[in-house]
């Protein structure tokens, strides 16, 4: 059973840091060299023989590429106050972020674009995602709408994606890497759920001209071919902002581009 947040805070900071080091597959020597301390000091921190300073916790967390949410947990475990804010996206402090996101999404129309949080719940979207929500089970459209569940659920987009095996394999692979990177139990639960939807089909072999996996979606009798990119904010200092991902879809061929422009 996954540990609760309270249990995580009760674990020594050294134990948590050792977990992140092992997750990143660093040796104590490699980590010590990165933060410019002795291997002995890293060992003492991990075993609890030495209590790390606030600055040392942050230096180790930075070198281990620990997410901001988990850096706050490390600080708490070490007896220090968190330094990264976690504001609601709808709070006044986030007005500039919301405005920027909506401008980006609007500028991307008529092509689909959406913003998701760490757990792939949609927090913003443009009008273009109508091609994704059309005809799916209403239960999948109840807030919070999870983008991966919407895509892979048998009553969602899966029945309209012609290359669903390829899309599912790519989505599950990316999510599995995210689980390994963050050790987030909610993401693990989502991964397990999505795996349960998988049929016995196998991804097709990519064609010689393919460099990325296209998203082949049937909409009103027309097969659309889309490519997708994911962007994040650079150098965030807020947990919420650091976890936002902007997924933008682009037409992979002229026919899809013309169809989406006409449909808008």
């Amino acid at each position: 059973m996954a540990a609760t947040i309270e249990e995580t805070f009760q674990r020594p900071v050294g134990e948590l840091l050792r977990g992140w080091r092992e997750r990143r597959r660093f040796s104590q020597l490699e980590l010590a060299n990165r933060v410019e301390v002795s291997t002995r000091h890293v060992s003492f921190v991990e075993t609890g023989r030495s209590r790390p300073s606030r600055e040392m916790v942050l230096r180790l967390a930075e070198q281990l590429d620990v997410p901001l949410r988990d850096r706050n947990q490390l600080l708490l475990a070490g007896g220090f106050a968190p330094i990264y804010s976690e504001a609601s996206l709808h709070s006044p402090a986030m007005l500039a972020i919301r405005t920027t996101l909506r401008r980006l999404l609007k500028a991307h129309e008529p092509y689909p674009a959406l913003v998701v949080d760490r757990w792939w719940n949609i927090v913003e979207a443009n009008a273009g995602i109508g091609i994704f929500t059309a005809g799916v089970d209403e239960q999948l459209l109840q807030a919070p709408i999870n983008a991966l569940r919407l895509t892979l659920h048998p009553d969602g987009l899966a029945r309209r994606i012609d290359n669903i095996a390829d899309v599912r394999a790519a989505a599950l692979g990316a999510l599995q890497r995210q689980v390994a990177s963050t050790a987030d139990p909610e993401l693990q639960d989502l991964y397990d759920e999505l795996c349960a939807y998988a049929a016995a089909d196998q991804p097709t072999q990519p064609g010689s001209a393919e460099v990325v996996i296209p998203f082949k979606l049937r909409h009103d009798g027309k097969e659309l071919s889309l490519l997708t990119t994911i962007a994040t904010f650079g150098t965030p200092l807020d947990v919420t902002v650091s976890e936002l991902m902007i997924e933008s879809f682009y037409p992979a061929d002229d026919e899809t581009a013309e169809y989406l422009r006409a449909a808008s």
Side-chain angles (χ1 to χ4, degrees):
M1 180 180 295
T4 65
I5 292 178
E6 183 178 356
E7 289 169 343
T8 299
F9 289 165
Q10 292 173 352
R11 294 171 61 191
V13 63
E15 182 181 333
L16 295 176
L17 285 167
R18 182 176 68 248
W20 283 106
R21 178 180 61 78
E22 293 173 346
R23 194 170 296 118
R24 298 295 185 253
R25 298 182 179 180
F26 284 4
S27 66
Q28 287 185 342
L29 175 60
E30 183 177 2
L31 180 58
N33 288 337
R34 284 173 176 260
V35 296
E36 299 180 338
V37 297
S38 68
T39 306
R40 178 187 178 91
H41 185 62
V42 171
S43 176
F44 277 21
V45 166
E46 291 186 352
T47 58
R49 295 181 65 182
S50 176
R51 182 177 182 271
S53 66
R54 174 177 175 273
E55 290 71 22
M56 179 56 63
V57 171
L58 292 173
R59 285 171 61 189
L60 290 167
E62 182 178 2
Q63 293 302 321
L64 292 170
D65 194 26
V66 177
L68 298 192
R69 177 182 300 276
D70 300 285
R71 294 187 196 192
N72 278 344
Q73 292 183 3
L74 286 173
L75 288 168
L76 284 169
F80 308 106
I83 66 170
Y84 300 104
S85 63
E86 186 177 355
S88 166
L89 193 58
H90 301 288
S91 67
M94 289 289 193
L95 178 59
I97 297 297
R98 293 200 311 274
T99 301
T100 298
L101 290 173
R102 288 166 182 169
R103 284 175 178 165
L104 287 171
L105 296 178
K106 182 66 177 178
H108 195 66
E109 293 177 355
Y111 309 137
L114 57 148
V115 181
V116 297
D117 62 17
R118 171 171 171 152
W119 303 281
W120 290 88
N121 296 316
I122 299 176
V123 296
E124 292 281 355
N126 68 6
I129 70 159
I131 64 171
F132 298 149
T133 57
V136 304
D137 190 293
E138 288 294 327
Q139 290 188 346
L140 296 174
L141 300 180
Q142 295 180 4
I145 303 173
N146 186 276
L148 292 181
R149 184 179 294 114
L150 179 69
T151 302
L152 301 181
H153 195 285
D155 295 326
L157 280 178
R159 54 192 176 189
R160 289 199 287 124
I161 301 175
D162 288 340
N163 62 333
I164 182 59
D166 300 315
V167 170
R168 175 164 43 235
L172 290 177
L175 183 57
Q176 187 177 43
R177 291 189 293 274
Q178 189 181 0
V179 170
S181 175
T182 64
D184 188 316
E186 288 189 47
L187 285 174
Q188 181 64 61
D189 289 344
L190 178 62
Y191 177 79
D192 293 340
E193 175 191 339
L194 298 180
C195 284
Y197 300 151
D201 49 8
Q202 296 293 325
T204 59
Q205 292 297 318
S208 58
E210 291 181 341
V211 293
V212 295
I213 296 174
F215 191 84
K216 297 180 180 179
L217 177 70
R218 281 176 281 108
H219 182 69
D220 288 343
K222 173 74 175 180
E223 184 185 81
L224 307 179
S225 185
L226 300 161
L227 303 178
T228 180
T229 64
I230 293 180
T232 58
F233 281 93
T235 61
L237 294 176
D238 180 89
V239 172
T240 300
V241 176
S242 73
E243 295 174 348
L244 294 177
M245 296 177 284
I246 308 164
E247 185 167 19
S248 305
F249 293 82
Y250 296 84
D253 53 46
D254 292 338
E255 292 79 9
T256 298
E258 181 179 353
Y259 178 88
L260 293 176
R261 285 195 295 266
S264 66

